Amino acid sequence: MAAPQEILATRVQSALGAALGAEFAETDPVIRPSQFADYQANAALALAKRLGRAPRDVAADIVAQLDVDDMCRQVEISGPGFVNLTLREDWIAAQAQELLNDPRAGVPQQESETVAIDYSAPNVAKEMHVGHLRTTVVGDALVRVLEALGHDVVRQNHIGDWGTPFGMLIEHLLDVGEGSAEAELVKTDPNAFYQAAREQFDGSAEFAARARKRVVDLQAGDAETLRLWRELVELSTVYFNRIYDKLDVTLTDADLAGESKYNDMLPGICDELEREGIAEISDGALCVFLEGFTGREGKPVPLIVRKSDGGYGYGTTDLATVKYRVEHLGARRLLYVIGAPQSLHLRMVWETARKAGWLPEDVEPVHVQIGNVLGADGKILRTRSGKPIRLVELLDEAIERAAKVVADNRPDLDEDTRAGIAREVGIGAVKYADLSVSHDSEYVFDFDRMLALNGNTGPYLQYATARIRSIFRKGGVDPTAAAGPVAVTEPAERELALALLGFGPAVATVGATLEPHRLCAYLFELAQAFTGFFEHCPVLQAEDPAVRDSRFALIATTLRTLETGLNLLGVRAPEQM
RNA sequence: GCACCUGUAGCUCAGUGGAAAGAGCAUCGGACUUCUAAUCCGACGGCCGCAGGUUCGAAUCCUGCCAGGUGCACCA
């Protein structure tokens, strides 16, 4: 199963070799979608300069050697030397038929690579906010896509489960009592618990003293303190899992790889850095100074690996993640799906790891930068009173709003069905909104826009699948039973079939660029192509049984492609809506 | 001050060195006796922040500037 663009690329390359010499057989044929044909090959323009010839002549030579009769019905030199390529309808139909029969839905099977992916990373005893939402959703989509492409993906949920706040949290847990209603807040409203602890810490010197002592005990490995700490982590895990469940995210407890996991590695990391002369003591702290990293007033910025009080910061922990993921997990790509502001920090961590030999040249670390989510005012999304928005409330509001729309439009459905649809549509809308814009840009959060059935939204794609299912229901046909044969005659059929062939490449692109919004853009175009088909090409009312069978096959493939694509994004497709 | 990100239609956002820069929303005008109108079709709308440069060709690459955002020593 190969996409038109790829097949054309190899064909044009052979033509290049034949026309211009073997040394040109590897050059990029520059196949692009065209507004004047299906595709265009732009290689001649670039090569003309090198050859010292007129571009149109070069194009003519390429076309003379080009063997595409089986797949193109028109090959035309146009403009300054573009080669316009128009596919044959029977070829498109044959490819669509192949796609229908392809158990992988056109998704290429790539050579397996171990990829470690760090995403979500909420903090224990703290509410997840919209920033966590986005790294969770984007990270999970990347996981699904990479796995579909055949890679060995290791999820690493780097939760904040260690550090000074735990002294305060543990003491507060003891004060309210283990198992008390207030302790249970960690499962449901963690910020309430955290704020209460914070208030004690700020308001009571006695409490603060206890909290500080507790931190020391924790780091010393005191058994009772560790037990209480574990208790807090477990309570938090209940909260995380409730969110992940609601969000339909693949993370489980097995993926937890929080800061505490690396505690044992930290002293060794510092020792090695110091021994190798990579780190030095500055103002009492063990620091790595790297060339080219300067801050205010040109002062060198350190990566602090051991604080002056002997404690470790996140720089050390992050170094440990690199070491662990390379040495222990055998990862060839290290993905960090975290906020854009961490960019400087990560670059310093990686450069330090390179110097220390923990990050070999053939291992590629990537920062999948996550941009801020903004409110209507263009500032980081907060409630009217200025507090961060509770994620649970935000998700519930999305579901409520979706429920209202479903109730308005589908009074014929029973309540349970409507509630199920509302959940899938509401959550899908929020996730899709996070995924459909490039992950590194900020975007403005707007319920009305993301829940709209028009435009590049989750509901629009879900609606397309629901309409297809409706046709199959009415026709009494099982989508998996559609077998074709596929024929392509109407323009809308042609457009839909051609769009279907682009799925595999779109998924592959996301795997390479780590940009889920490209898959969104593809699925949106496919859904639009389907809508055009839906308007112009009746399926059930088609008079000719052969046309009917062909159209069944086309929409069955469309349904599977849309659902597979949505699934790769982590978005559900309701059977009706 | 240094570094990174962003600047594209009224708004929200796409855009792989290729032809005349795209979509959705909003606005205006149309289409339900039809497989879901929660839909669709059409129109309107652009010094691609500014100025240079590279190139046969630049929203895209380079340099400078302007504007906004973020980060820059012991929180993560």
Side-chain angles (χ1 to χ4, degrees):
Chain A
M1 188 67 230
Q5 204 162 341
E6 290 161 22
I7 301 176
L8 286 171
T10 55
R11 299 285 183 94
V12 173
Q13 278 187 325
S14 333
L16 286 169
L20 307 170
E23 67 270 29
F24 291 94
E26 302 279 307
T27 42
D28 182 5
V30 200
I31 310 290
R32 298 282 183 271
S34 174
Q35 49 187 315
F36 303 105
D38 292 320
Y39 294 96
Q40 58 186 55
N42 302 338
L45 290 101
L47 287 171
K49 181 81 174 177
R50 250 169 83 188
L51 296 164
R53 299 175 52 195
R56 279 191 77 103
D57 290 347
V58 177
D61 284 359
I62 294 169
V63 169
Q65 296 293 333
L66 188 59
D67 179 17
V68 289
D69 290 348
D70 58 321
M71 61 187 299
C72 292
R73 65 168 154 81
Q74 195 176 36
V75 176
E76 198 178 35
I77 299 169
S78 148
F82 301 108
V83 177
N84 290 348
L85 302 157
T86 307
L87 297 168
R88 291 167 55 135
E89 281 64 30
D90 58 349
W91 187 85
I92 294 174
Q95 294 295 303
Q97 180 74 46
E98 208 177 304
L99 189 58
L100 174 68
N101 300 329
D102 179 4
R104 292 187 55 81
V107 176
Q109 175 81 43
Q110 300 181 336
E111 197 185 330
S112 183
E113 182 181 61
T114 301
V115 183
I117 173 166
D118 187 317
Y119 70 106
S120 194
N123 291 312
V124 164
K126 269 199 176 173
E127 180 80 28
M128 289 173 76
H129 53 72
V130 284
H132 290 117
L133 172 68
R134 202 165 176 204
T135 91
T136 304
V137 167
V138 170
D140 208 53
L142 291 175
V143 166
R144 292 165 186 255
V145 167
L146 291 168
E147 283 185 340
L149 288 167
H151 298 295
D152 186 10
V153 181
V154 190
R155 298 163 179 77
Q156 297 279 283
N157 190 359
H158 196 66
I159 59 170
D161 63 356
W162 201 254
T164 45
F166 281 92
M168 169 184 104
L169 293 167
I170 289 171
E171 286 303 322
H172 185 62
L173 175 64
L174 286 171
D175 284 2
V176 299
E178 292 176 67
S180 69
E182 282 186 64
E184 294 289 301
L185 279 177
V186 178
K187 292 186 193 173
T188 54
D189 187 2
N191 268 17
F193 184 89
Y194 188 94
Q195 293 303 338
R198 182 86 226 175
E199 269 170 44
Q200 286 296 308
F201 187 86
D202 291 339
S204 158
E206 179 269 335
F207 181 91
R210 266 158 55 202
R212 287 199 194 88
K213 168 145 193 333
R214 191 58 81 171
V215 176
V216 176
D217 290 347
L218 181 65
Q219 274 161 355
D222 171 64
E224 174 65 2
T225 304
L226 278 176
R227 188 187 65 76
L228 292 162
W229 166 77
R230 213 166 287 126
E231 173 84 30
L232 280 170
V233 174
E234 272 163 28
L235 288 169
S236 264
T237 306
V238 173
Y239 164 77
F240 299 154
N241 288 338
R242 206 161 48 87
I243 298 272
Y244 293 152
D245 192 47
K246 191 178 278 249
L247 266 179
D248 222 342
V249 156
T250 62
L251 285 166
T252 68
D253 288 352
D255 307 314
L256 291 172
E259 292 164 353
S260 66
K261 178 190 175 76
Y262 302 97
N263 282 343
D264 294 346
M265 294 174 68
L266 305 183
I269 282 178
C270 291
D271 289 349
E272 197 171 336
L273 289 174
E274 207 169 4
R275 198 168 53 240
E276 297 290 327
I278 297 168
E280 60 191 86
I281 302 287
S282 169
D283 286 352
L286 185 63
C287 302
V288 178
F289 291 97
L290 298 160
E291 220 171 302
F293 291 93
T294 51
R296 284 192 192 87
E297 293 138 33
K299 275 193 205 158
V301 176
L303 179 72
I304 295 172
V305 292
R306 194 179 58 222
K307 299 187 282 184
S308 53
D309 67 0
Y312 304 100
Y314 76 138
T316 331
T317 320
D318 282 340
L319 279 169
T321 66
V322 173
K323 210 168 185 285
Y324 176 81
R325 291 166 194 177
V326 170
E327 289 173 11
H328 199 266
L329 300 178
R332 312 294 289 188
R333 273 207 280 180
L334 308 177
L335 311 187
Y336 289 84
V337 187
I338 58 184
Q342 304 281 353
S343 159
L344 177 72
H345 168 74
L346 277 182
R347 272 165 37 221
M348 294 185 74
V349 167
W350 296 339
E351 196 171 320
T352 301
R354 289 256 193 241
K355 284 180 100 166
W358 302 327
L359 186 59
E361 284 302 319
D362 61 345
V363 175
E364 185 196 13
V366 184
H367 181 190
V368 180
Q369 302 197 15
I370 301 300
N372 287 323
V373 181
L374 308 176
D377 57 357
K379 295 191 175 145
I380 290 174
L381 191 62
R382 289 181 191 284
T383 60
R384 279 172 297 279
S385 56
K387 284 190 221 149
I389 289 176
R390 291 191 60 203
L391 191 49
V392 186
E393 283 170 14
L394 182 131
L395 297 178
D396 286 343
E397 183 171 353
I399 294 168
E400 268 169 46
R401 282 171 180 254
K404 222 167 274 172
V405 182
V406 175
D408 285 348
N409 291 286
R410 296 304 303 271
D412 54 312
L413 298 175
D414 66 77
E415 219 166 292
D416 279 356
T417 308
R418 285 205 304 252
I421 294 169
R423 258 199 314 278
E424 297 188 351
V425 170
I427 296 295
V430 171
K431 293 180 80 173
Y432 192 87
D434 262 342
L435 292 163
S436 59
V437 296
S438 38
H439 59 69
D440 56 347
S441 69
E442 302 182 315
Y443 83 99
V444 177
F445 189 94
D446 180 347
F447 272 123
D448 290 331
R449 203 173 61 241
M450 65 181 73
L451 282 165
L453 240 153
N454 298 324
N456 188 8
T457 66
Y460 180 81
L461 297 183
Q462 291 171 322
Y463 186 58
T465 66
R467 295 222 280 192
I468 297 174
R469 285 208 176 270
S470 171
I471 297 173
F472 278 109
R473 259 198 310 275
K474 277 244 165 69
V477 176
D478 187 323
T480 58
V486 178
V488 166
T489 48
E490 294 293 317
E493 290 174 327
R494 190 185 194 280
E495 205 165 316
L496 179 59
L498 193 51
L500 287 168
L501 303 182
F503 182 58
V507 176
T509 299
V510 175
T513 63
L514 307 173
E515 294 175 325
H517 79 276
R518 293 179 183 278
L519 180 54
C520 296
Y522 165 78
L523 293 174
F524 178 52
E525 276 170 29
L526 176 61
Q528 283 183 308
F530 164 72
T531 304
F533 172 92
F534 185 85
E535 297 285 325
H536 295 106
C537 303
V539 179
L540 300 177
Q541 279 97 343
E543 280 156 34
D544 185 342
V547 170
R548 206 175 115 107
D549 286 345
S550 166
R551 289 180 179 172
F552 265 131
L554 279 175
I555 63 170
T557 310
T558 306
L559 177 64
R560 189 168 62 128
T561 305
L562 286 172
E563 286 188 344
T564 306
L566 284 171
N567 184 51
L568 290 180
L569 295 171
V571 174
R572 300 235 175 190
E575 300 228 339
Q576 53 180 338
M577 61 187 279

